[in-house]
C-alpha cells in the first residue's frame, strides 16, 4: 500500500487515509451538482482530491477528521499531483487501522516526551519552584501527550508542544553547563512553563488546531500561564511576593521578548534572556527541519516560511 | 508671601518651600567648594535654586523632600528665572506649615475622589464583579488617597490616580447613557481596575514617583492587576473560567490597546474598546490642561509634551 | 414578508430587495452560459444570490442599485446562507416600495440630524466663526441629508456623516462642561468642519460610496476643507491671518493626528487634541456597535474589523 | 586679515566678525563672574569664543547678530580650535563693513536668482497657471531675495531658498527635454510653488532662521501654499474646480511624498512624482556639497548629516 | 491586422501573437473537459484569452513563449476585454514573423543602447576604473542586449536594463556639469556597475524574467557585483585596498540606500549619494511613463503602482 | 594593592593603572587652569578621576593608553565613586608591570582560543571549504590573538572575537549532534568566517576599538568577508560558481538576518538560519554575563543594555 509521498501520476491505488478537510462544492452546470473537495493525508504528507457525483447519503456519511478507505487515481492538475477518488467508504473497526497512524507526529513517542519533561521537572532543586511547575503541568498533563505547539507556526503536529519542550530542555542543560552563571532551576522551570497554557489557549485534535478558546483569544497563553502561577502559589502556600514567584512570572511574561510579539514586559533577568533565545533557536530550526521534511525530495526549495522572514529554504547539497 | 508663579526678577523674598531635589555639586575652583543645586517647589510650580558656601553641617541637615524656610532673591539666568538662596533653615513644627500645602495636587480632595470611586463601585449591579473590584480596591485603598497616575506621563501629582479614575467614571457614565449597548458594570469595573496595580508598581511620596518596584519592573501593572483578579476570584469563590472573570481580565490586559504599548492582547469586547478610548481621552486632555496650568500665563507655548506626539500646545486666545 | 436577517435554510419566499451588486458571470460549460452573481440587501442586512439562465433581455433590464421583486429559496452553501432566485422582476411604481426602505441608515432621521447640526452651529457665540461654519455647511447641505462618513471604515450608511457629527457634538458638549478650559465655539466648529468636505471627496448614492472624486484623490478631504475655510474667509471678509481662521484651519488639518493618517500637522491647541479624541472615540465605538448589529445574534464573534487593530469583537453576555 | 577657515592655533589676530550667538554665563567661583560664551562667524565658517571679565556695560552693548571688531588669539581646546577674545568693540559705520559680508550665502547673487525664477515663471505657457504662480511669488518676492530654504536641513543660508528653486528649475528643464511626456508648465509651476510659503512659515534674518511663525507651526508651509493657490484663483477669477488648480494644489500637497514627511496626499500625477524626485535630488546633493565646503580641507570626513541617513560623507580623492 | 490595443468588443480578427502564458484548466462539468487559459501579447499590450475544446495533441503543441496564429473574437467579460479563440496554430517559418516583434521593448535599439554604454565607459579617464568597468561589462555583454532591469518593478522589458543605464548616464552627465564637485569617472562607473550583475541574478527571455538564479537568491545582485569588482581587480592587477576599488565597491554596495532595501552600507561619498538619487529618479519616472503608456488612452487612471507608494497615476490633461 | 572594584569611599591608595582616557579641561576661574579628566582602569573595572594643577610638562607626559603609578583618594561624587589623584608618574620598565594586566580580557588565554578555532577549522571534512576558511583565517591570524568582537556591543575586550568564535563553535557542535540535518562543515565554516573581517573593519589596541577603518565604514565587515571568499576561491582555484562557494558567501552575507541589521540577503539555508541563531544566542548571553560581571556586586541592576531591548538586567538571587 503506497504512502502519499510515494504516489506518482497515473498511479491507481487503494488505501486508507485521514479525511483532513472536506468541503461540499457545486459544479457550475445547470442544475449544479454537488462534489467533494477533499484533503487526504497520512503521516507522510497530504494531497488534494476530488470526489464527483456525491449522493445525499454521502453528505451524511463523510466529515472532516474521519478515517476512510479510498480507491482512486493520481494525476497532474496544474503541475501538482491530485487524486480523483472513484470509490470511498468509512473505515470500520475490522479494518484494524488507527487515526494516529495517519497524522504527522513528533519523532519521539509522547510518553517518552512527557517522561523527559517530568524528569526535568523533578530535577529542579528548589522545592517551591518545583511545586509551582508541577501544579501547572498537572493542569494539562493529558493534553501534553498530543497537543501541537501552534496552529501552523512551528511544531504544528501531534505532541509537538512536548517535543518543543524536550528539545529546549536539552539546549537549556547544555547552556547551563557552558555558562554557570545561569540558574538551572529557573531555566528548567521557564522552559516547562513558558507555553504551558497553550493547550487551554487552543482547541486541537490529533495535533491539528481547529480554533482558539475564548480565554485564548481574550487573555492569551502568556497571561493565562501567569495567572496559573498565581493560582499555584496560593494553592501551595507560597508567598506571592517572593522573588521565586516574581522570577517565574517574569520568565513567562517576557518570553516573547517584545511587546509587539505579545510580551507585556521585556526580559530583565539572565534566565529570561536565555529562555527567549532558546525558544527562538528551537522554533526556527524546527521550522527549517519540518519544511525540508515535508517538501518532496525532488524539490530544491521549500515553500515560503512566515517565521523565517517569509523566505523559502534551499536544500543545499554539497558534493564530497 | 509670594508664591513661585508670582516671583519676578530682582524680587527679594522670604518663604516656605518644599526642597524637591537637592544635589551636592562642586565648583571648578581649586580646591573645589561644595554648593547645593536645588529645586524648590510650592503648589504653583517649581524653580531652580543655588545655595553657595555649603557647610559640612548643611550636608547633614538638608535632604530632598524636606520643608525649608528660605531667604533669597530671584534673578534671570540664561533667560530663565532662578533663585539665589542667601539663608535657609528647616521648617519647624512651630512654623505651622504642612508638606501637603507645597505640592501639586488634584483639584478635588482625595477623600472626595475615593468616595466617588467607591460610590461607582457600589453602583455595580453584578455581585461577583463588585466583589472582585472591592477586593482589588481594598489592596491599595490607602495609597489611592495620594498616589499619582504616573511618574511624568499624565496626572503626575498628589491623588492623580484617583482623579484620573473619577473623571473617567464621569465619561463612562455619559457614554453608557449615549450608547446603551455598553454594559455599565463592565465599564465601571474596567475603569476602576485598569490602573489599580499602579500603586504597587511605583514608589511614590507626596504624589512624586521616585522609582518602580521590582514587581513593577519585572511584571508591570497590567499583569499584576490580572493576577489580582485571579487572586480575588479564588478568595471570593468565583469560577476562574466564568465569563465575568474573563471579561474583567480582558479589560485590564487590553487597555493599552497595542502590544508595543504593553497590552498582550488587543480589545475584543465593546467595553474593552470603550475603556481604552476613555483612558486615552482623559489622559490626553489632562496632559493639555496640566501643561497649560503649569506654564506661566505670559508664555504662549507650553513645553513639548511627549504624550502628545511630542508637540507643545499653543494657548489659543480668541478675541470676542 | 420576511426580512433578510430572518431567512433560514430551505425558506421559500417572495419579497422586494435592493440589487446592491450584480455581476454577469459564465458557467464553465461549453458553450458557457451567462448567470448573475448578485448581492441582495434590505435594511437588515445582505445576502449573496444566484440567478441562473439569464436571458439577453435580463442583461438589459437589471442593474446595480435597482429595486426588484424576487421569488427564491434560501439554502446553505459552504456553510453560509445563499439565495437561489427563481423569478425576478423590476419593482414598479405601483408596488409602492421605496429605495430608502431597503438600505442601512442612521437610527435617527436625516432631517433631525441636520437640524441638530444647525442648532449647534447657531450656538456658536463668535460671529465670524459661525459665518465660516455656515459657509461650509451650505456647500454640502443637501448631501448632509444622506452621505455616509466613509466607504467602509465607519458610519458607512445613509446619513452616516450627519449621524457621526451629531454624536460627536453630544460628546463635545459633555466635555466642555466637564473641562471648562475648552472653548465650546472651537469644539463645535471643529466637529462640524472636520469632515465637511467628505461629500465632495466621495461619490455616494443611498449611503453607499461608489468612488472618490478627482479632488478627493488628488487633494483629500482635509486639504479641501482647509481651502474652503480660506474661501469662506475671503467671501465673508474675515482676515486670513486672524487667530480665528488659523485656529479653524488647524482643527481641520490636524484632526487625523498623525502624518501617516493624513494630517500634515499635529494637534497643538487644546481643542485640536480634543477634536481628534472625540472623533476617534465616536468612530471606534460606532464600529463596534455596527459590527454587533450586523452580525447575526446567533454568532458570538463579529468579522475582523480593520479599524479595531483588525480584531473581531466578542459579544460578551454576562448572566445576572 | 585672516578668515576663520585660515586660523591656526596660537595665531593672534584682529578682525571683523558677526556675533552669531552670545550667551552670558557665570564662572563657578564664589562669587561667580559673568563671561560671554560666543559664536563668531564670517562667510567661511564659524568658531566658538570666550570673552572673560565682562563688564556691566558690555552686557548692554553686545547682542547676537551684531557686527564686532575683535582682537584675540586662537588656541586648541579639547582638540578643537577656539578663540580667546582680548578686546572687542562694536563695528562703526566708519569701519566700512557690512553684515552681508559675514554670512554664508548662496554662490549666486540673489538678484540673479530671483531673475532666473521670474524668467522661468514667464516661460509658463498657460496664462492661468502663470497668474497663480505670479500671485504667490509676489506675496514673498522681497523675502525671496534673502530667505534660506530651511533652518538647518538644507540650503540653510542667505538666499538659499531662491538658490534651491533655481537649481531645481535647471534640473526640471533637463528632464522635460529628456522625457517629453512631462508638462513643462506644471514642472516649472510646481518647482516655484512647492516651498513658496516657507518665508511665511519661518522668521529669518540674514539667512538664519530664528523661529517658526504661528501659521508655520499650526498650518505648515504645505497647507499655507495650498491656501494661497485657492486665494490666487479667487482673486484671478479662475475656476476653483478646474483641472489646473487641482493639478497645482496636488503638486504642492504631495511634494513631501509621504504622510510622515508632511504630505497629506501622495504624488499621483507624472509631474508630482517628478517634482518630489527633483526636490530630493537637489536637496541631498546640496547637503553633500555644503557639508564638504564647510568641513576644513584637512578633514576627511564631514560631520554626521541627518538628511543623509545620519551618515557623514567621506572626501574621496582618487589619484590620477 | 489589428494590434491588441486597437481591438474592440465584437471584433473578429485573424493575427499573430505571442503566447505569453498558457495554463491547462478543466471545466467543472462531469466529466470535466480541458481548456486553455491563455495570455496573448504583442508589442502594444496583452489580453486574456480562452481556447475551449482542447485536444490531446493541442496539449503537445502549444507552450508558453511560442508564436501562434489565432482566429478569434473579442468580447467583454466582467467589464474587461477578452478573446475567444476559435482557431489556433503555431507560426511557421514561412509566416515571416519574429518573436521580437511581439514583445514590449525599450524605445531605442539595443545595439544603440550598448554602444552608448560603451561610449560612456570609454569616456572614463582613469585607466584602472575603466578596466574594472570593462571587465564586468564583458561578463554580461551579450545579455545587456536584451535583459530587463527587473521582473516587474521597473524597465521590465526587452533591453530595459541597458535603457535604464543609458538614461541614467544622460542624467549623470547633466549633474556633473551642474555640480563640478562630482567626479564624472565615478558617476559613470557607478551607473554602469550598479545593476551589472542583474543578468546573472535573474533568468530572462525576450525581456521577461521567469525566475531568479541560485546566486541571485542566495547572494543578490549587489553582493555579486561587489565580488566581480574584487575579481576584476585581481585579474587586472589592481590593489584591492586602493581608494579606487573601495570607491567602486562602495557605489555598488550602497546604491539601494537603506538596509531594508538591500544595501549593507549607506552612501557616504558624494558620488554614492548622487548614484542613489539618479537611480531612483530614473526608475520612478520610468514607472510613471510605462504605466501611462500601457494603460489604454481611454482610461484616466493607471493601475496601482507598487514602487510609487502603491498609488495609481492620473493622466492629467490641461486644456490650452 | 587594591583593585578598582574593591575601592571604597575615603580609601587612600597607591597603585598602577591604565590611563584609558585623558582629556585636558579648564576650570572656569579667571584665568582658567588646566586639569585632567581621566578614566583609570584595571582588569576589574574602571573609574573617573581628576588630576588638578596640571603642569605644562604633564601635558607632554601623559597620554591615553599609558600605564601610570597613581597616589590618590577615592570619594563619592554625585553618588558615584571617583578618584582624586594627588601624585602620578609614568610606569617604568623597572616597575615590572605589563599593559595586558590592566585590561579586561576573555576568560581563556588567546593562544588557547586560537588553537580551538584552528582545531575546528581542521575538523572541516571538505577540503575546499577548509582551504577557503584557512585562507581567510591566515589574513587576520595575528589580530585574532587580541581583537575584540565589537566596539561596545558585545565581547568588547581583549581577544573577545576569538572567544565569541570559540563559544559559538561549542554551541554549533552541540546543535549538529542534536539535529543531524545540519551540515557540520558549513556550521563550522560559517562560525569562523562570519566575523572574520572585523579585525580589518576596526582599529583596536588592547581590546579597545578606537575607530573604524575606511573599508570598514564604506564596505562593512560583511561585504569584506564575502570579497575575501571570492579572493580565496580564485587563489585556491575553486570554481566561483560552485555550491560550496555560494553556500559560504550566503552564510556570511545573511548572518545579520535582516536588511536593517546589515545583511543584504536573508538566511535561506538550514545552516544560515542556524548561524544567525547561534550568533545571537552567544552575543546576548555574553552581554548579560559581562554586564553582571562589571556591575558591582552590591548593585541589583546593571546599566541599560542597548542590545537587550535597552533594558537593564536584574541580579536575581533566590534563597535556597
Amino acid at each position: 500500500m503506497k504512502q502519499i509521498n510515494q504516489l506518482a501520476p497515473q498511479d491507481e491505488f487503494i488505501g486508507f487515509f485521514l479525511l483532513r478537510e472536506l468541503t461540499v462544492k457545486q459544479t457550475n452546470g445547470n442544475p449544479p451538482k454537488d462534489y467533494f473537495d477533499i484533503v487526504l493525508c497520512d503521516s507522510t504528507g497530504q494531497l488534494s482530491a476530488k470526489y464527483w457525483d456525491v449522493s445525499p447519503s454521502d453528505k451524511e456519511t463523510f466529515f472532516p477528521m474521519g478515517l476512510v478507505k479510498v480507491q482512486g487515481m493520481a494525476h497532474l492538475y496544474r503541475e501538482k499531483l491530485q487524486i480523483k477518488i472513484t470509490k470511498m467508504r468509512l473505515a470500520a473497526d475490522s479494518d484494524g487501522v488507527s487515526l494516529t497512524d495517519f497524522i504527522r507526529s513528533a519523532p519521539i513517542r509522547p510518553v517518552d516526551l512527557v517522561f523527559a519533561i517530568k524528569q526535568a521537572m523533578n530535577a529542579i532543586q528548589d522545592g517551591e519552584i518545583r511545586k509551582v511547575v508541577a501544579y501547572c503541568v498537572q493542569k494539562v498533563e493529558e493534553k501534553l501527550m498530543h497537543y501541537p505547539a501552534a496552529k501552523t507556526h512551528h511544531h504544528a503536529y501531534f505532541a509537538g508542544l512536548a517535543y518543543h519542550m524536550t528539545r529546549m530542555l536539552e539546549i537549556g542543560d547544555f547552556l547551563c553547563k557552558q555558562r554557570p552563571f545561569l540558574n538551572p532551576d529557573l531555566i528548567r522551570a521557564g522552559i516547562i512553563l513558558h507555553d504551558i497554557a497553550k493547550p487551554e489557549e487552543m482547541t486541537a485534535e490529533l495535533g491539528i488546531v481547529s480554533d482558539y478558546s475564548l480565554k485564548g483569544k481574550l487573555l492569551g497563553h502568556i497571561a493565562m500561564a501567569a495567572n496559573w502561577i498565581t493560582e499555584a502559589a496560593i494553592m501551595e502556600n507560597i508567598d506571592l511576593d517572593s522573588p521565586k514567584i516574581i522570577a517565574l512570572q517574569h520568565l513567562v511574561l517576557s518570553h516573547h521578548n517584545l511587546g509587539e510579539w505579545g510580551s507585556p514586559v521585556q526580559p530583565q533577568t539572565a534566565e529570561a534572556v536565555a529562555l527567549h533565545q532558546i525558544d527562538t533557536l528551537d522554533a526556527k530550526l524546527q521550522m527549517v527541519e519540518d519544511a525540508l521534511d515535508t517538501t518532496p525530495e525532488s524539490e530544491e526549495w521549500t515553500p515560503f516560511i512566515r517565521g523565517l522572514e517569509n523566505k523559502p529554504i534551499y536544500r543545499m547539497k554539497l558534493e564530497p
Side-chain angles (χ1 to χ4, degrees), chain A residues 240-253:
Chain A
L240 280 167
D241 286 331
S242 70
K244 286 170 195 172
I245 296 302
I246 296 174
L248 292 178
Q249 295 242 24
H250 179 64
L251 281 162
V252 165
L253 290 168

Side-chain angles (χ1 to χ4, degrees), chain A residues 3-306:
Chain A
Q3 290 202 283
I4 274 175
N5 67 353
Q6 298 166 326
L7 286 175
Q10 315 316 326
D11 280 359
E12 301 194 13
F13 65 92
I14 295 178
F16 290 93
F17 301 92
L18 176 67
L19 245 175
R20 184 163 172 163
E21 296 171 23
L22 182 155
T23 320
V24 183
K25 292 190 172 172
Q26 289 175 301
T27 62
N28 273 351
N30 186 13
K33 293 182 187 171
D34 291 332
Y35 67 95
F36 287 168
D37 207 356
I38 279 171
V39 177
L40 293 179
C41 76
D42 63 18
S43 67
T44 71
Q46 59 182 52
L47 279 176
S48 286
K50 302 275 184 206
Y51 183 56
W52 303 102
D53 289 319
V54 162
S55 71
S57 80
D58 285 342
K59 293 201 282 188
E60 308 293 314
T61 306
F62 299 105
F63 292 96
M65 304 306 287
L67 213 49
V68 290
K69 187 170 189 184
V70 164
Q71 174 178 333
M73 194 188 75
H75 61 103
L76 279 184
Y77 178 66
R78 301 188 194 179
E79 299 177 45
K80 292 200 168 172
L81 206 63
Q82 195 182 77
I83 288 170
K84 182 175 175 185
I85 298 174
T86 44
K87 274 193 190 166
M88 179 162 68
R89 70 160 169 83
L90 287 185
D93 288 353
S94 57
D95 289 323
V97 291
S98 154
L99 267 175
T100 51
D101 300 340
F102 293 87
I103 54 172
R104 195 163 150 69
S105 178
I108 296 177
R109 287 190 315 159
V111 67
D112 294 338
L113 294 171
V114 174
F115 181 79
I117 292 166
K118 289 204 162 176
Q119 215 169 17
M121 179 175 96
N122 291 325
I124 294 173
Q125 302 287 309
D126 184 280
E128 292 184 328
I129 295 176
R130 195 170 59 242
K131 276 185 197 164
V132 170
V133 173
Y135 185 94
C136 296
V137 166
Q138 143 275 334
K139 268 181 174 279
V140 294
E141 186 162 349
E142 194 189 6
K143 288 184 175 175
L144 262 189
M145 296 293 285
H146 64 92
Y147 254 69
K151 191 164 183 180
T152 53
H153 196 53
H154 65 98
H155 295 87
Y157 40 71
F158 197 81
L161 177 57
Y163 186 51
H164 180 39
M165 284 181 185
T166 306
R167 282 300 183 96
M168 284 178 68
L169 286 165
E170 291 168 14
I171 304 171
D173 278 358
F174 168 79
L175 287 177
C176 286
K177 272 177 212 134
Q178 195 193 34
R179 298 172 201 256
F181 77 104
L182 295 171
N183 178 329
D185 276 5
L186 288 178
I187 293 291
R188 283 185 188 119
I191 291 171
I192 299 176
L193 293 179
H194 83 292
D195 277 353
I196 198 74
K198 280 206 161 176
E200 299 293 316
E201 185 191 33
M202 313 180 293
T203 313
E205 206 184 336
L206 293 171
I208 298 165
V209 174
S210 56
D211 203 358
Y212 288 81
S213 68
L214 181 63
K215 285 183 93 164
K217 287 172 178 168
L218 294 189
L219 310 188
H221 76 97
I222 286 184
M224 286 164 74
N227 282 333
W228 290 4
I229 294 171
T230 296
E231 191 185 330
I234 294 173
M235 296 310 179
E236 301 287 357
N237 276 312
I238 305 170
D239 178 7
L240 280 167
D241 286 331
S242 70
K244 286 170 195 172
I245 296 302
I246 296 174
L248 292 178
Q249 295 242 24
H250 179 64
L251 281 162
V252 165
L253 290 168
S254 71
H255 86 270
H256 280 192
N257 198 42
L258 294 183
E260 50 266 52
W261 299 341
S263 273
V265 285
Q266 280 59 64
Q268 290 164 79
T269 63
E271 291 78 17
V273 172
L275 177 61
H276 169 64
Q277 291 298 325
I278 296 168
D279 188 18
T280 305
L281 172 64
D282 186 65
K284 303 277 181 189
L285 288 182
Q286 199 62 41
M287 285 177 208
V288 172
E289 187 169 0
D290 291 348
L292 289 169
D293 273 4
T294 57
T295 301
E297 268 295 309
S298 57
E299 306 208 356
E300 288 182 315
W301 290 91
T302 71
F304 292 83
I305 304 171
R306 230 179 123 180

